[in-house]
Amino acid sequence: MGNSYKDSKNKILDKSEVIARTVMSQQSFYFSDKCNKNHKQILETMVGAAIWYLPQSNELWTGDISIDALKKLFESDNPKKITLTKDHHFPRKVAAEELFKLDWSTFSSPAEEVLKRYKNIYGRFNFVLPEENKRLVKFQKGSIFTNPEDAYKKAGISLRNITIEQLKQIKNGDHNLIELIFNNKNLNK
């Protein structure tokens, strides 16, 4: 585990540093009179894309899955073929805007700050169905978005918290577990 773990940790920290440096180097332009709405959108899109390209791992999963996804897994003869989408419940462009608004002089390591925010907020995701993900988009735009819970509520998506082990069992066709999850709302809370 030694070197490959260290290499991957260095790689994500290097990417975080580039994101932090990009934001810091463009911050004065971002807040200047020369930066119009289109400029800001492009900057936020670029930084948001960089955030999206940071490595995604199961540890970033919130443990939440939509109830409709659970139902579809339950009804399927082959649950492994059901497509689940990782929905980052904190929109990338909103994350980028937030980074531009930070006072970077207060952080001893901007790269560590970006990485911490990614692991705790920006990179966190829920599992939803692709069609639910599409419904969420209009409630996750920067001008509308207030928080993940509000976006999900407006999109009509309810979530249930389960473990990664339970998700694996469900994908392997464990119908009894799904019924237990539906009947016991406090299973993992």
Side-chain angles (χ1 to χ4, degrees):
M1 180 170 128
N3 272 352
S4 66
Y5 174 76
K6 189 177 178 190
D7 288 346
S8 70
K9 189 170 182 340
N10 286 342
K11 195 179 254 187
I12 190 170
L13 196 56
D14 284 347
K15 289 178 180 186
S16 298
E17 182 171 352
V18 170
I19 292 169
R21 285 178 179 270
T22 300
V23 169
M24 290 186 296
S25 71
Q26 296 303 310
Q27 207 170 25
S28 61
F29 172 62
Y30 185 87
F31 287 107
S32 74
D33 294 340
K34 294 177 184 165
C35 188
N36 64 35
K37 186 179 176 183
N38 291 333
H39 293 138
K40 283 186 179 181
Q41 285 181 340
I42 291 168
L43 286 168
E44 291 166 2
T45 298
M46 288 173 17
V47 171
I51 292 168
W52 192 74
Y53 281 109
L54 289 172
Q56 296 178 11
S57 62
N58 282 340
E59 69 188 30
L60 294 172
W61 178 40
T62 61
D64 285 342
I65 183 170
S66 76
I67 288 178
D68 285 350
L70 282 171
K71 286 179 183 171
K72 196 162 188 175
L73 288 165
F74 179 76
E75 293 164 358
S76 175
D77 292 334
N78 190 351
K80 287 183 179 180
K81 288 198 173 185
I82 300 297
T83 302
L84 298 178
T85 299
K86 291 178 181 177
D87 177 66
H88 286 85
H89 66 189
F90 201 88
R92 297 182 302 233
K93 283 182 74 173
V94 175
E97 180 182 5
E98 193 172 275
L99 290 177
F100 274 108
K101 291 180 177 176
L102 289 178
D103 177 359
W104 289 95
S105 67
T106 62
F107 304 109
S108 58
S109 172
E112 290 282 356
E113 183 61 25
V114 169
L115 185 55
K116 181 182 91 178
R117 287 170 179 266
Y118 179 71
K119 286 182 173 179
N120 296 324
I121 306 166
Y122 306 151
R124 307 285 292 166
F125 63 87
N126 303 315
F127 281 120
V128 298
L129 295 171
E131 56 270 24
E132 291 176 311
N133 188 248
K134 287 182 182 130
R135 276 200 330 256
L136 277 163
V137 170
K138 64 181 166 187
F139 303 110
Q140 293 178 324
K141 296 200 182 300
S143 57
I144 298 167
F145 181 81
T146 53
N147 60 58
E149 296 75 24
D150 185 54
Y152 276 77
K153 185 177 177 185
K154 287 177 178 171
I157 299 169
S158 298
L159 299 171
R160 182 63 47 86
N161 193 268
I162 63 174
T163 66
I164 193 75
E165 291 77 22
Q166 289 171 329
L167 180 59
K168 286 177 186 172
Q169 287 176 268
I170 290 166
K171 284 191 146 222
N172 284 329
D174 188 335
H175 285 77
N176 292 331
L177 180 58
I178 295 177
E179 286 186 49
L180 181 63
I181 289 169
F182 278 127
N183 292 329
N184 188 354
K185 294 179 181 179
N186 298 317
L187 192 63
N188 290 313
K189 303 256 173 170

